[in-house]
Amino acid sequence: MARNGVLQGTLDLLVLKTLHSLGPVHGYGIVTHIHSVSDNVLRVEEGSLYPALHRLEQAGLVASSWQLSDTSRRARFYQLTARGRRELKSEEENWEAVTAAVTRVLQYS
Amino acid sequence: MVWTPRWFHRLVTIVRPNRLQRDLEDELLFHIEARTRDNIAAGMPPEEARLAALRLFGNRTLMAERMRDADINRSADALFRNLRYAARVLFRSPGFSMVVVLSMALGIGANTAVFSLLNAVVLKTLPVTNPEELVILEAHVKSAGGERTALDWHRDLRNFQTHAAQYVELFTSSRTSAVTTLNNQVEQIPVGLVSGNFYSVLGIRPFRGRLIDRGDDSERNPQLVAVLDYGFWRGRLGGDPAVTNRTIVLNGVSFSIVGVTPEGFFGTSLAPPTPVIIPVQTEARLEDGESFRAIEGRLRPGVSRQQAASVLTSIFQSSEPHRNDVIVLKNNSRGEYSDRERFEKPLYVLMGGVTLVLLIATANVAGLLLARGAARRREISIRLALGASRAAIARQFLTESLVIAFAGGALGIALAYGAAGALVAMVGPAAVGLDVRPDARVLAFTCATTVMTGLLFGLFPVMQARGTTLNPSLKEGVGIVGRRPRQIARRALVIAQIALSLVLLSGAVLFTRSLSNLRSFDSGFDRHGVLLASFDADYRYSKDRRYQIQNDVLQRVRSIPGVEFAGVASTPVLSAGEYSTGLKVSGQAPCRTSMTIASPGYLETMRMRLVAGRLFEETDNQVGAPHTVIVNQEIVRRCFGSMNPVGMNVQAGFGVNAEIIGVVTDAKYRNLREDTLPMYYIPPRSVHPFGLVLHVRTAFDPRAAVEPIRRALREVDPAVPLADVRTLEDQSEQSVLQDRLLTSMSKTFSIVALALAVIGLYGVLAFTVAQRTNEIGLRLALGAQRRQIGQLVLSESAFMMLVGSALGFAGALAGQRLIQGLLFGVGPSDLWSLLTAVGVMASIALCATLIPAAEAVRIDPISALRHD
């Protein structure tokens, strides 16, 4: 999981969102994207990412294929499926609801 | 780019685990390389950059495992691995595998074959829509259990059709035969007769053209149309597409062919299909009398059989005063089959027997697996030591058992296909109309049997493996007199096999005795040395001429050297049919009796003994002479009590007034098991029938008389063929067909069962001797007598035999009660049969014991002590 105390279960959301914004991308691309977009706050652990990707693939949310990377190396690329897009949408809404609720709790004084 | 679907990954994962492994490695390697490159770009020294990248992954093997787990459907993968392992184990010992697979194939195949026959005779329904609505109509005296009475086909059927149409749609079908010319050859073919609504009520669509409809079958103006059976059209007419333009001539009358029935439809009876079907109202045009017509029907939706029957009964009873017969509707969903009743129970008994065979085969395979399991104890221990879970090992063993069962099942179906054909051939003419090809129900039965037996014998090695502990098994074989696995399960299996074989064997002995009783008891006539044949001039001859031919043939046959007597009779004995008419003494109520039309010479041919009066003479059969009849003793008992009937005048069937001239002994008429029927005989000329059956008693083998008789017939009229030639013994054998089937099948089952049980017994004994080689060597070295060593093996065998026999004895006694109704002249709990069975069993078991016993006795103490 993310080192900086990101809530459990958010890894899938981050991965799906990343695939949504970037299109087909390999695992390493996902790590660097999340790292840089979160201003170096969120670090996805490799040990969690790959099992998660494979799990998402078996759940039919992402699909994979072997392609050549920009460095001309064979790499496995992932992309969202239609089901993945739907899942992302509901996960996003869920996340909004939870964070809003957490914010309200924190602001209560 | 190609995005491969999920299932493809899963498949690759399962079928090619190596490729998956490589893909995982590649994916991770790519990541590490990319990170290393970025680290270097950020200014790290190359070596440190790589180590930093690696560090981020932590335990790479563990992660690879987790990825793999995510990728694959674990159970499917495990199943496949188990299957591959099982196949490898089985291929490694082909001899063993062949024996177990063949055992199962034999057991499952025999079960499938018997079930196919049971299915065809008892279970299968007609291939029409909603067969459960089909009924057949019967009239019974007073109640459903009473004797059957005849229905007036014309009047009653019309009456029912007009008044009960909203309850049941009635139709009719029957068969007759007619002479036709096919491919320039004159032959007699069976002809089907159906009512106009037959096809529409059954919901049958034509394969070609149209089928017979109501318009064709009108009572006033029946159409001369014919429909051909699909098989006949294909086989004999070459599937001629223009067949609907042709005509077929039956008994000289031309019928235009209008269509062909669909493939697989054979009517509502399980007899061979008739090649040609014509409207029932056209039967009169064939000028060959009227066939017996069954009234059948289809219940309207929502109407029950009882409901429709009570409506029909009230219509029937109110149609005429003093009619109190009851109409009964019998379920006809399976179609009419005259032999169903006599085969149904024997087939269930055979099914039971063949199930026992399967159980014995299962026990045998279980025993073999246990023996091999003992040899695999080290393998199991090692796998346990390496961390395999007991559940995984159990799954592995069960998979192996199921692989054996399914291999056996597949082979069994192939065997059954041939065996079912052989069974049908054994049953002979009575099974000609049966379709024993495996259908969905047979396949479902076989699959269920296969899985159940697989689980059953698979259970034993699993239980055995459960008992395996880590340590002692690895050390096994080191000590001399150390703790041995006690083989309780294997002994129990052998005992079960002995017990079950004994049950089968005693059944076989009982059926054999019953059949030999049936063949040899005094049936009131002499079954040996009599030839039966039919000869009948067909419609082209006048009635007088047909009658003349019959008499001339009899004359000539009697003069053939070696022929002792000859006569004709309406129905031969044991052919399940005779006239049922009353015999009335003036001033008394009519006495219900059966009648056989018999010429002079018939009773002599049958060797029925005269008790009083005289037999028929030629004069009794001459036109103008007074009518005479001969009665059997049963008639005297039932109708005359203490009076002597000879010389009395009675009114016989067809309103003939006749004098009783003699009394003969009782005999069996319809079948050998019946209660004695009251029977009288009347000469042909009193009732003028046709198509009587020729009976000839010869001093030599009756078959040798066939050619002389054929010649005699040719001399009388070369155009009249001799048909249905058989001996009275053949006829008698046909009538005990179900007993022959039971005898030969139960014998076969017993032989297989005995062989399996003996192999099982031998296996356990030989294994024990091999295991105790060291111990026996030590005993011998310490001064034990060889005789004592032999006794050791014998006593083990005797123990299993005794327990098995005791159990088998009890089982056989229970079994005898179940089959009592099928036996003839064999009392319940017949000890003699049981003891015979035990004797056979014991002597064969002794043979199986002698080999391992001799081996044990021959053990050389010196080499035995050195042996492992």
Side-chain angles (χ1 to χ4, degrees), chain B residues 496-658:
Chain B
Q497 280 174 274
I498 291 174
L500 293 175
S501 314
L502 200 59
V503 173
L504 282 173
L505 198 57
S506 77
V509 173
L510 283 171
F511 285 130
T512 309
R513 288 190 58 200
S514 161
L515 180 61
S516 90
N517 285 347
L518 277 168
R519 280 180 175 151
S520 61
F521 87 107
D522 180 10
S523 51
F525 52 85
D526 184 355
R527 276 173 264 184
H528 308 284
V530 176
L531 191 78
L532 307 178
S534 306
F535 60 93
D536 191 23
D538 56 52
Y539 73 101
R540 289 167 291 188
Y541 291 82
S542 73
K543 292 184 179 177
D544 287 345
R545 177 76 188 122
R546 285 162 97 167
Y547 196 57
Q548 188 58 45
I549 288 174
Q550 187 175 297
N551 282 333
D552 290 354
V553 169
L554 263 183
Q555 291 287 314
R556 280 172 199 266
V557 167
R558 282 181 188 138
S559 63
I560 294 172
V563 168
E564 296 178 340
F565 296 102
V568 290
S570 48
T571 44
V573 289
L574 310 182
S575 61
E578 80 290 307
Y579 290 95
S580 167
T581 67
L583 201 62
K584 194 172 173 334
V585 182
S586 60
Q588 283 181 24
C591 204
R592 198 176 275 275
T593 61
S594 298
M595 175 181 89
T596 297
I597 301 164
S599 75
Y602 169 77
L603 292 168
E604 292 91 328
T605 302
M606 297 300 288
R607 293 209 172 130
M608 292 186 186
R609 290 178 298 278
L610 187 69
V611 177
R614 63 171 179 89
L615 292 177
F616 291 129
E617 279 155 21
E618 276 311 315
T619 48
D620 293 311
N621 199 24
Q622 269 162 20
V623 183
H627 297 293
T628 52
V629 295
I630 292 176
V631 299
N632 72 352
Q633 291 171 301
E634 181 70 15
I635 287 196
V636 179
R637 263 192 296 278
R638 288 204 199 185
C639 314
F640 300 101
S642 54
M643 284 186 285
N644 175 9
V646 177
M648 288 176 82
N649 277 304
V650 290
Q651 192 183 53
F654 301 93
V656 176
N657 286 305

Side-chain angles (χ1 to χ4, degrees), chain A residues 26 28 31 43 46-47 50-51 54 57-58 63-67 69 71 73-79, chain B residues 1-4 6 9-10 23-24 26-27 30-31 33-35 37-38 56-57 63 67 70-71:
Chain A
H26 45 67
Y28 185 67
V31 174
R43 272 210 51 142
E46 281 82 349
Y50 284 98
H54 284 237
E57 184 176 15
Q58 281 314 311
S64 75
S65 75
W66 287 91
Q67 293 169 37
S69 74
T71 54
R73 289 269 302 152
R74 216 170 74 94
R76 191 176 208 156
F77 279 66
Y78 294 87
Q79 79 164 14
Chain B
M1 58 186 130
V2 184
W3 296 92
T4 49
R6 218 162 8 141
H9 276 293
R10 200 170 277 171
D23 277 1
L24 289 183
D26 282 0
E27 189 172 11
F30 170 79
H31 187 109
E33 278 172 18
R35 168 75 71 196
R37 212 172 33 249
D38 281 3
L56 284 171
F57 268 100
M63 185 168 62
M67 288 161 72
D71 273 6

Side-chain angles (χ1 to χ4, degrees), chain B residues 413-429:
Chain B
I413 289 184
L415 281 180
Y417 200 74
L423 271 175
V424 167
M426 200 160 107
V427 174

Side-chain angles (χ1 to χ4, degrees), chain B residues 392-412:
Chain B
I393 289 178
R395 268 200 299 274
Q396 173 59 43
F397 273 42
L398 219 49
T399 311
E400 279 177 40
S401 300
L402 285 175
V403 166
I404 292 170
F406 271 99
L411 198 58

Side-chain angles (χ1 to χ4, degrees), chain B residues 56-187:
Chain B
L56 284 171
F57 268 100
N59 184 343
R60 228 165 72 202
T61 320
L62 185 68
M63 185 168 62
E65 282 280 290
R66 283 170 61 197
M67 288 161 72
R68 221 177 100 89
D69 280 1
D71 273 6
I72 56 181
N73 183 333
R74 287 191 69 165
S75 58
D77 175 62
L79 176 69
F80 191 78
R81 246 185 304 134
N82 279 343
L83 280 176
R84 284 215 309 198
Y85 189 79
R88 223 179 300 147
V89 167
L90 290 177
F91 276 118
R92 212 163 43 203
S93 41
F96 169 84
S97 311
M98 220 156 72
V99 170
V100 291
V101 168
L102 276 179
S103 294
M104 287 332 292
L106 215 68
I108 294 173
N111 269 271
T112 305
V114 175
F115 186 78
S116 304
L117 199 58
L118 183 74
N119 183 38
V121 171
V122 183
L123 304 174
K124 210 182 256 185
T125 53
L126 291 172
V128 301
T129 49
N130 303 333
E132 68 284 351
E133 290 171 355
L134 297 181
V135 291
I136 193 152
L137 220 93
E138 284 178 5
H140 287 258
V141 178
K142 288 186 194 112
S143 68
E147 224 167 305
R148 271 188 74 174
T149 56
L151 285 163
D152 184 321
W153 186 80
H154 297 275
R155 205 189 43 207
D156 288 331
L157 177 59
R158 202 173 324 117
N159 207 5
F160 290 147
Q161 273 172 336
T162 7
H163 294 109
Q166 66 270 45
Y167 296 96
V168 57
E169 273 182 287
L170 295 173
F171 57 92
T172 181
S173 68
S174 64
R175 44 206 297 149
T176 180
S177 62
V179 174
T180 189
T181 309
L182 274 174
N183 308 325
N184 297 322
Q185 211 177 357
V186 179
E187 57 183 291

